[in-house]
Amino acid sequence: MSPLRSLLLSRSAVDRDGERRTDPGLLEALWADPATRVLRVRPDGSAPLRARAQGSAEPAALELVAPGDVARALPEPGPVVYLGREEDGTAHVAVEVPDDQEVADAAGWPVRSGDEEWAGLRAVAAELDDRDAGLLVEAVGVLNWHRVHPHCPRCGSRTAVTTSGWTRTCPVDGSEHYPRTDPAVIMAVVDEDDRVLLAHNALWPAGRFSALAGFVEPGEPLEAAVRREVLEEVGVVVGEVEYKGSQPWPFPASLMLGFTARASSTGVRVDDVEISDARWFSREELAAAVTSGEVLLPPSTSIALRLVEDWYGEELPARPSW
Ligand SMILES: [Zn+2]
């Protein structure tokens, strides 16, 4: 297996340091330490970027600040999440801040003003270094979970943030709840003539084509999910499947598991619900369609593009993207 090239959201340079999360005083101690770095994230997944001179070619980097620059006291009830520490010991925490966070209020939130540039992963992941990309993927993933799972699934009570932001605990029945990740398979389907099958989603603007993908169902192995999704969406029968790599996709909670799948039939019958068009491309046909702009491939942040390039054998020609 050749690993996929440059999965931009699979990078990291920070040890998640899971053992330390169970220290009940950890977040308070880190918030009192001016050396701690805080990553602020808005509900839309955007984070502040370090100021750059106008027109500067400098790549984007996250603006990480001291706790005192965010709020005087540890924000309660949070969530505040311990993300881990760097080799030099620098500890990182993430906190969700409101959209209008430039307005300082009596709760002590926040000190920083609204002239910062905020951006999300889709916009800046390609520019961020490994540390910043890993921090933002981790923070967005776990904060998304907190936002949509505030209540106990057993009794409906509001749960409390515990384990330095990595669990929620029900105050009524004591049940503990863990962040969710939803596995999804994504596959470059290739036929006997070595053509690749790309599909157009019914909701996309004209010209966009990508690899087929879908969520894994409960009780289903990954290989079966690949075969089921391809059959459902385009009516193609798949035999052998080969795992190629994975990338978190925290929009809001997916883990994309990438495969190459060998088709044993080539007749395409789209489901017309999710998929409205699907075509086989030879390498020459795809290169020509991308160059002419007839086909727009997914962005460089996606594992979909890396799967297509893995089949193609190299980077595709320079192209307009989504
Ligand atoms: Zn409960």
Side-chain angles (χ1 to χ4, degrees):
M1 174 187 118
S2 59
L4 297 178
R5 185 182 81 78
S6 189
L7 293 169
L8 294 172
L9 305 189
S10 290
R11 298 175 293 153
S12 172
V14 169
D15 175 359
R16 292 190 174 211
D17 192 19
E19 277 178 38
R20 219 168 150 212
R21 295 173 186 166
T22 54
D23 172 355
L26 177 65
L27 286 176
E28 210 158 343
L30 292 177
W31 205 265
D33 181 353
T36 298
R37 294 295 101 185
V38 181
L39 170 57
R40 292 160 292 156
V41 181
R42 286 179 174 167
D44 66 1
S46 63
L49 303 181
R50 212 156 58 197
R52 290 177 281 181
Q54 194 117 46
S56 153
E58 206 185 326
L62 296 177
E63 172 78 337
L64 304 169
V65 296
D69 283 344
V70 179
R72 285 191 290 275
L74 185 65
E76 291 286 351
V80 178
V81 179
Y82 176 49
L83 298 176
R85 60 176 159 185
E86 293 183 63
E87 251 178 65
D88 69 2
T90 304
H92 292 270
V93 302
V95 59
E96 185 167 292
V97 296
D99 286 326
D100 59 350
Q101 69 104 40
E102 68 270 20
V103 181
D105 63 20
W109 185 235
V111 181
R112 292 264 158 167
S113 73
D115 56 5
E116 296 170 308
E117 180 188 355
W118 290 65
L121 279 168
R122 291 178 209 255
V124 293
E127 290 185 55
L128 297 178
D129 66 12
D130 290 357
R131 184 199 70 171
D132 284 3
L135 286 172
L136 190 52
V137 171
E138 181 182 359
V140 168
V142 68
L143 291 172
N144 282 346
W145 172 73
H146 281 293
R147 192 172 334 102
V148 297
H149 294 89
H151 295 109
C152 176
R154 294 193 191 174
C155 74
S157 303
R158 185 158 184 101
T159 48
V161 179
T162 43
T163 324
S164 307
W166 287 94
T167 55
R168 297 188 71 101
T169 304
C170 177
V172 175
D173 56 41
S175 59
E176 269 201 325
H177 306 281
Y178 295 84
R180 281 186 53 163
T181 292
D182 298 331
V185 289
I186 181 161
M187 41 277 171
V189 180
V190 178
D191 74 1
E192 282 184 355
D193 297 327
D194 212 19
R195 297 179 302 170
V196 73
L197 181 64
L198 299 179
H200 174 77
N201 188 295
L203 301 174
W204 291 343
R208 280 191 190 181
F209 278 82
S210 187
L212 291 165
F215 285 108
V216 180
E217 295 185 344
E220 184 177 49
L222 299 175
E223 296 83 351
V226 170
R227 296 190 179 101
R228 176 182 53 75
E229 285 288 344
V230 176
L231 189 63
E232 281 176 7
E233 293 186 344
V234 296
V236 168
V237 177
V238 158
E240 189 190 329
V241 302
E242 184 190 2
Y243 175 70
K244 299 298 286 189
S246 69
Q247 172 164 271
W249 193 246
F251 313 111
S254 299
L255 174 65
M256 306 304 297
L257 299 138
F259 292 85
T260 298
R262 285 277 158 197
S264 50
S265 72
T266 54
V268 169
R269 178 181 40 76
V270 295
D271 65 9
D272 260 333
V273 180
E274 204 170 332
I275 301 297
S276 58
D277 190 11
R279 296 186 215 161
W280 293 101
F281 293 90
S282 67
R283 288 184 179 75
E284 296 70 27
E285 286 165 350
L286 186 61
V290 168
T291 304
S292 73
E294 180 198 345
V295 163
L296 297 176
L297 290 177
S300 62
T301 42
S302 68
I303 191 172
L305 181 66
R306 301 311 181 207
L307 284 166
V308 174
E309 286 177 343
D310 181 66
W311 158 81
Y312 188 73
E314 55 186 291
E315 266 186 80
L316 278 149
R319 65 216 167 242
S321 185
W322 293 1

